[in-house]
Amino acid sequence: MSFKKAHEVADVAEEIIKKHHPHLVDAIEKGLIGFYFKSGNNDWAGKAKKCTAFERFTTGCMLFVFIDNDAWKVFNEKQKEALVDHELCHFTRMKEEKFNPDTQKMEFVWADAEDPDNWKIREHDVEEFSDVIVRHGLWETGIERFALAVRNADHQISIEDYGLGEEPEPRRRLPFTVEPGGIVNINQMQ
C-alpha cells in the first residue's frame, strides 16, 4: 500500500467545484483538500474523509479525497469526473447567519473553512436493493428522489435492455462493479 499526491485529480476537482460545489471553493483555494492516489488492494474506487486532528496538524488539510490508482487508470474521462464529483458530494459545510452591512440584512454564509467543526461527511442519498424496489416500488422518499434523478439524467439505459426480476447482463464488461452501499470493485481487465 502506498500513497502519492494526485495532482490530476485535484485539477478535475477544481473544475467540478467551480460548477457544482460552492461550499468547497475557498477550501480548495486555501489548500484544505488533499487529493491522493492509493495503490494496493483496495475494494473501492474512491474515498472521502474528514481529517483527524493529527492529520490536520501534519498536512494542513481539512479533508482528504483518496482515489484508487488502478481505477483511475482504467476509467475514461467521464467516469473520472463522476468519481471525483461523487467523492466531493460527501463533504458538507455548516452555514452561519451574519449581518451584511452593505445590504443591512442578515444573510447565511459558509462557516469558517478552517474550523473542523464546520465540516461533516454526508452519506449516500439512497441505499436499496433492486429486488425490494421491484417488489415494493419507490417506498421511501430518498428512493423517490433518486428515481427522479435517474429519470432526468442525460444517459439512460432502456428498461427493455434488462429483464425484470433477473440479474441484468451487461452489454460490455465494465472496469468496475458496484455493490449495495456504493462500494465499487475494480475488475482486472483481460
Side-chain angles (χ1 to χ4, degrees):
M1 168 179 21
S2 66
F3 295 89
K4 70 177 182 177
K5 288 201 177 232
H7 301 289
E8 184 181 348
V9 175
D11 292 342
V12 171
E14 189 169 348
E15 291 304 311
I16 293 170
I17 287 169
K18 287 178 188 174
K19 292 178 187 174
H20 304 292
H21 298 278
H23 64 295
L24 298 176
V25 170
D26 62 336
I28 200 161
E29 289 171 353
K30 294 177 180 182
L32 298 178
I33 307 174
F35 298 92
Y36 296 92
F37 285 120
K38 182 176 179 280
S39 298
N41 191 17
N42 301 315
D43 60 354
W44 44 263
K47 290 269 186 197
K49 181 183 186 306
K50 179 180 170 182
C51 296
T52 65
F54 181 73
E55 291 165 337
R56 287 192 306 273
F57 173 75
T58 58
T59 66
C61 292
M62 189 65 59
L63 309 164
F64 286 146
V65 172
F66 299 106
I67 300 296
D68 177 79
N69 197 48
D70 293 331
W72 194 258
K73 288 177 185 175
V74 298
F75 281 5
N76 65 37
E77 293 307 308
K78 290 199 175 290
Q79 290 171 315
K80 290 175 180 180
E81 288 176 14
L83 174 61
V84 173
D85 194 10
H86 174 100
E87 297 311 324
L88 294 173
C89 282
H90 281 292
F91 301 132
T92 65
R93 183 171 168 188
M94 305 293 286
K95 281 190 165 185
E96 56 190 12
E97 197 171 18
K98 287 194 173 178
F99 182 75
N100 183 334
D102 296 332
T103 63
Q104 295 292 305
K105 294 182 179 181
M106 296 299 285
E107 297 176 355
F108 283 98
V109 297
W110 297 115
D112 181 9
E114 297 185 49
D115 181 347
D117 291 335
N118 292 330
W119 294 100
K120 304 283 185 244
I121 294 293
R122 173 181 165 207
E123 295 300 321
H124 298 111
D125 292 335
V126 66
E127 181 176 334
E128 188 52 272
F129 295 99
S130 58
D131 295 349
V132 172
I133 293 172
V134 167
R135 289 192 287 267
H136 303 283
L138 305 177
W139 66 274
E140 194 265 334
T141 58
I143 299 169
E144 289 175 6
R145 284 192 307 273
F146 187 81
L148 178 62
V150 169
R151 284 193 294 273
N152 291 331
D154 290 337
H155 306 288
Q156 293 289 326
I157 296 174
S158 169
I159 193 68
E160 287 82 31
D161 293 334
Y162 300 107
L164 289 177
E166 55 190 58
E167 285 294 314
E169 288 292 322
R171 290 184 179 171
R172 62 184 174 84
R173 185 165 182 223
L174 296 174
F176 63 94
T177 57
V178 181
E179 294 180 15
I183 298 170
V184 177
N185 295 313
I186 306 303
N187 299 330
Q188 297 299 321
M189 300 303 285
Q190 298 177 4

